[in-house]
Amino acid sequence: SIIERIPKVLQKNESVAYAIAHAAREREMEPEILHWLEIAVDNTDANKPAPDLRATLATAILQAFEKRHDVQSGMQITSADKKRLEHALALLDDAIGTLENSETLKYRTNWVGNRAVAHKLLGHQDKALADAELAIKLEPNNPGFLRQKAFLLHEQGKSDDAIIIFKQILGNPKV
């Protein structure tokens, strides 16, 4: 393969590893995406936090779980699953923390939504709801975040509150 022809030292370069991960994503080569994104994150400059790269890896980890019905249906996650989800959560915490006191976070609301998903999958319902609410605060008319909050409320037994949000989604042309 072409990757084998790339010198090993260059394969560990953050930009090269990211480019390989991007090519793997275009070819829907899931294990390779994660592998190369991990290499890119592991080889970032210690003086540069690289929040976009960290969030990209976290998103790829979560997308791998999206395809698994056993996880999405709420069945027990394995210890290996838990470790991966906690890794995604830590990456998102780092990425969001880097931008927390800046206007830039408004352009990365999907990171907050993804962190809510990670919390939900790990069983941290209150933290998931708090992140869903933060995402809505940053992007009030995003139907995905509103829907996420409604489902979390429903799962917590607050179906009346969830119904209000669903009606808000249906009744708002901006949503």
Side-chain angles (χ1 to χ4, degrees):
S1 85
I2 194 165
I3 294 172
E4 293 168 352
R5 289 187 260 160
I6 299 171
K8 296 288 183 200
V9 68
L10 287 179
Q11 288 182 21
K12 292 187 177 187
N13 175 281
E14 172 191 340
S15 298
V16 172
Y18 180 77
I20 295 170
H22 180 73
R25 175 175 281 136
E26 287 180 346
R27 291 168 181 79
E28 298 181 12
M29 300 168 69
E30 191 173 295
E32 288 80 5
I33 297 167
L34 294 172
H35 172 76
W36 290 104
L37 285 173
E38 288 280 3
I39 290 172
V41 167
D42 290 346
N43 290 285
T44 56
D45 183 341
N47 297 319
K48 295 180 184 176
D52 287 297
L53 184 55
R54 292 179 181 287
T56 299
L57 173 55
T59 300
I61 292 168
L62 292 173
Q63 286 172 340
F65 281 99
E66 278 180 5
K67 298 173 184 168
R68 291 187 38 204
H69 180 69
D70 60 324
V71 173
Q72 291 301 317
S73 65
M75 295 176 71
Q76 189 69 22
I77 60 172
T78 67
S79 59
D81 291 341
K82 183 177 180 183
K83 186 175 179 179
R84 293 296 293 163
L85 289 167
E86 287 171 344
H87 181 50
L89 188 57
L91 289 163
L92 288 165
D93 282 342
D94 287 348
I96 292 166
T98 301
L99 303 180
E100 208 159 33
N101 296 319
S102 75
E103 287 291 311
T104 307
L105 188 57
K106 288 182 180 179
Y107 302 101
R108 304 291 194 277
T109 54
N110 61 318
W111 297 358
V112 179
N114 285 342
R115 188 170 68 178
V117 170
H119 278 304
K120 179 189 178 299
L121 292 173
L122 286 166
H124 310 153
Q125 299 301 331
D126 290 340
K127 290 180 180 180
L129 183 57
D131 273 342
E133 289 172 344
L134 174 58
I136 291 167
K137 181 180 174 187
L138 294 168
E139 197 175 333
N141 292 320
N142 183 307
F145 298 147
L146 291 166
R147 187 176 60 246
Q148 186 177 40
K149 179 180 178 181
F151 280 118
L152 288 164
L153 288 169
H154 173 71
E155 289 174 6
Q156 292 180 354
K158 300 175 184 174
S159 295
D160 290 342
D161 294 337
I163 290 169
I164 291 168
I165 294 172
F166 282 127
K167 286 181 179 178
Q168 176 187 353
I169 293 169
L170 291 173
N172 186 346
K174 291 181 180 179
V175 178

